[in-house]
Each structure stands twice: as structure tokens, then as C-alpha cells.
Amino acid sequence: DAKTTQPPSMDCAEGRAANLPCNHSTISGNEYVYWYRQIHSQGPQYIIHGLKNNETNEMASLIITEDRKSSTLILPHATLRDTAVYYCIARMDSSYKLIFGSGTRLLVRP
Amino acid sequence: DVKVTQSSRYLVKRTGEKVFLECVQDMDHENMFWYRQDPGLGLRLIYFSYDVKMKEKGDIPEGYSVSREKKERFSLILESASTNQTSMYLCASSSPFYEQFFGPGTRLTVL
């Protein structure tokens, strides 16, 4: 599984979009990009995943660059409850493994 | 909604005790997982089960065993708890090659 790199921390104002970057320059063609988040003292929560097309669901949007070397998770209108650690994970389509790095600690300010 | 439940949120045990951590999922998932999470080390996979009575070691299986007698239930067993097993334990379930759904976690303290 490719290694991912994320900034250790970010902040944004409540109501604004939060854009969380992830670098995965060694990703291979059959590796998906997954995003999870972990709110303090809870288990990780699945957010979204994609292979090469941009994806959107009720929680977030995932933008993957054309060369697939990086991606951005977008929370369109961040709320205080979005304060959490966000993990970007590259996972092979044939693998059960999720390898969690240290993630990005997002603080949403009132 | 997928529901993964763990038997306890907080547990305090003594060194040498046998400890059972239980996990139940209600989505008929084939795969179930046990992780532990420690500051600075992230989540590490202890054991994985892909079917009833089937299991595979993860990255840190030493000191742990597991049991999966029914599809919905996956137990993590610490045969003789030690202080270095003080940690947050997380259970997850998934369909094969799909996203994993996590339980709320059990914070285990071994004194």
C-alpha cells in the first residue's frame, strides 16, 4: 500500500469549506484513496473513497488529481462537530488492510 | 445504519488476568477486525477474521488470541494481561474489500 502524507494540523472557521490535502505520489493503479475521521474518544468513521474520479456523498467531496498523486477532501460547510483527526489511506482493491498514518487534526473554530 | 458494538467502553484489569473483549456487528459482514490504538503509533491491526472460525494474524498478534464462533461476533482474548496491553481497542467489520465500520472502542487499563 502506498504511503500517504498529510499536514499534521489545520483549522477553519465554522460554516466555511475545509479542504484537507493528501499526498500519495507512489500510489499504484489499483489502489483506492480512502478517508476516515476520528472524533475524540470514538472509533474511526468512514467518510468517502475513490479511485480516479471525483466523488461526492452526503458528508464530503473527494477530488483526486488526474495523475492520482494527490487528493483533497472537502467538507463544504464545516461545523464544530467536524473537529476530528482525518486520515487519508491508500488501499489496494484486493487488500483488506487499512494502514492508518498520523492524519490531520482539523480544528473548526466558532 | 451499520452498527458495531463493543461490550465495554472502559475496562480495568489486573496483571495476569484473562480478559475478553467482545464485538458484535449487525450487518452480516464477513470480515471482522481487532485493532489497538496508542498515542504516536496510530491504529495497528491485531487479528482479522474473514469467516466463522477463520482468522489471520495482523501486525501485532503477540499476547492476543481471537474467537469467531458466530458470524456476527468476534472476541479478542488477552490470555494473561500485562501493563503494556493498556490501550484503546477498536473492533471493525466490513464486506470483503469494502469500507470498514468501527465500533466505539474499549479503553483497557491493566494495573
Side-chain angles (χ1 to χ4, degrees):
Chain A
D1 297 322
K3 182 175 162 57
T4 61
T5 306
Q6 299 176 254
S9 64
M10 294 182 65
D11 66 70
C12 77
E14 189 178 18
R16 305 298 294 266
N19 297 287
L20 292 95
C22 179
N23 188 294
H24 33 78
S25 57
T26 61
I27 198 167
S28 61
N30 59 350
E31 283 186 284
Y32 286 78
V33 178
Y34 277 76
W35 284 84
Y36 282 76
R37 73 180 182 184
Q38 188 171 22
I39 295 168
H40 183 62
S41 294
Q42 296 182 23
Q45 177 190 21
Y46 164 79
I47 303 173
I48 198 166
H49 73 281
L51 185 62
K52 47 188 173 183
N53 297 324
N54 298 337
E55 302 287 344
T56 295
N57 64 20
E58 64 278 2
M59 287 183 70
S61 295
L62 174 60
I63 309 297
I64 303 174
T65 57
E66 199 168 330
D67 63 7
R68 302 209 327 122
K69 291 183 188 299
S70 66
S71 60
T72 301
L73 179 76
I74 301 171
L75 307 178
H77 306 287
T79 71
L80 299 179
R81 287 180 295 179
D82 292 322
T83 291
V85 178
Y86 287 77
Y87 298 97
C88 168
I89 300 164
R91 194 187 99 171
M92 299 268 286
D93 60 356
S94 58
S95 170
Y96 60 83
K97 274 199 167 189
L98 285 177
I99 300 174
F100 287 79
S102 46
T104 295
R105 190 171 296 276
L106 174 70
L107 174 64
V108 180
R109 294 177 278 103
Chain B
D1 269 0
V2 175
K3 202 73 168 194
V4 179
T5 56
Q6 295 183 229
S7 49
S8 307
R9 287 302 310 271
Y10 300 93
L11 207 52
V12 180
K13 295 291 182 180
R14 296 208 175 272
T15 302
E17 278 193 80
K18 190 168 185 174
V19 181
F20 292 87
L21 301 182
E22 300 274 311
C23 175
V24 178
Q25 52 96 0
D26 66 359
M27 282 303 292
D28 203 35
H29 285 161
E30 287 84 356
N31 296 348
M32 296 188 76
F33 308 80
W34 275 107
Y35 296 84
R36 64 178 281 178
Q37 184 173 28
D38 302 286
L41 296 175
L43 275 83
R44 293 178 292 167
L45 182 65
I46 305 171
Y47 265 99
F48 156 62
S49 169
Y50 52 91
D51 202 349
V52 174
K53 298 192 189 294
M54 307 303 284
K55 62 188 179 188
E56 274 191 27
K57 292 179 181 179
D59 300 317
I60 49 161
E62 297 78 21
Y64 304 94
S65 62
V66 290
S67 172
R68 190 153 179 216
E69 297 295 320
K70 293 186 176 182
K71 192 174 185 180
E72 67 271 18
R73 190 177 297 267
F74 193 33
S75 302
L76 181 70
I77 303 152
L78 288 66
E79 293 289 341
S80 178
S82 63
T83 54
N84 63 12
Q85 292 178 309
T86 291
S87 186
M88 168 73 97
Y89 289 88
L90 291 155
C91 175
S93 74
S94 77
S95 292
F97 314 122
Y98 281 78
E99 61 271 22
Q100 293 181 22
F101 294 89
F102 285 80
T106 295
R107 189 167 293 281
L108 172 68
T109 301
V110 183
L111 301 174

